[in-house]
Amino acid sequence: QVQLVESGGGSVRTGDSLRLTCTTSGFNKSWKYMAWFRQTAGERREGVAALFASGKLTHYADFVKGRFTISRDGDKNTAFLQMNDLQSEDSGLYFCAAVSWKVGQIEPLDENSYPNWGRGTPVTVSS
């Protein structure tokens, strides 16, 4: 059974940084794509960043380019989201999601591409 667990969320000030971690288990080998999404009250989940299994192909939403970095631990099925220069609009519940190699081509920042989800970790940014 595939499981994803997020950690690292918290309450910070504008301009601060946070590092989110997504720990996975249950994949036969590794996930094919890992992504981070976020959701605020009353809004749909939006894609923030996605990472191909090699760790070298990344995708970012325009609103986080240059501030957020997605990466993985090479030896483990663990992914990270380094978030710098956080702004109030970055507040929300952050989810990690993953898809296995059984799936063909996907849209990396589309939530419909991912069948496996964690429960989320909250991020609150205040001035």
Side-chain angles (χ1 to χ4, degrees):
Q1 182 180 359
V2 172
Q3 289 188 320
L4 291 82
V5 179
E6 304 93 338
S7 62
S11 296
V12 296
R13 296 287 192 180
T14 302
D16 285 352
S17 298
L18 279 175
R19 189 192 198 204
L20 305 184
T21 299
C22 179
T23 303
T24 70
S25 61
F27 284 99
N28 186 26
K29 294 181 180 180
S30 171
W31 35 262
K32 178 180 181 179
Y33 258 102
M34 166 75 74
W36 288 94
F37 290 79
R38 70 187 187 190
Q39 187 174 27
T40 55
E43 300 291 330
R44 291 189 60 183
R45 279 185 296 206
E46 57 182 357
V48 174
L51 177 69
F52 185 62
S54 68
K56 297 180 180 180
L57 179 61
T58 57
H59 308 267
Y60 292 98
D62 287 343
F63 53 79
V64 300
K65 284 182 180 177
R67 300 189 298 127
F68 291 11
T69 304
I70 188 170
S71 61
R72 70 170 295 174
D73 184 319
D75 295 330
K76 301 177 183 178
N77 284 334
T78 300
F80 309 98
L81 184 68
Q82 177 67 41
M83 305 188 295
N84 297 329
D85 190 24
L86 284 161
Q87 304 298 312
S88 58
E89 54 266 33
D90 294 318
S91 297
L93 189 60
Y94 281 71
F95 299 88
C96 67
V99 61
S100 74
W101 288 92
K102 296 179 182 178
V103 178
Q105 190 172 1
I106 68 165
E107 289 294 329
L109 293 178
D110 184 345
E111 63 173 330
N112 295 310
S113 296
Y114 297 89
N116 305 294
W117 291 82
R119 293 186 177 184
T121 184
V123 172
T124 303
V125 185
S126 58
S127 58

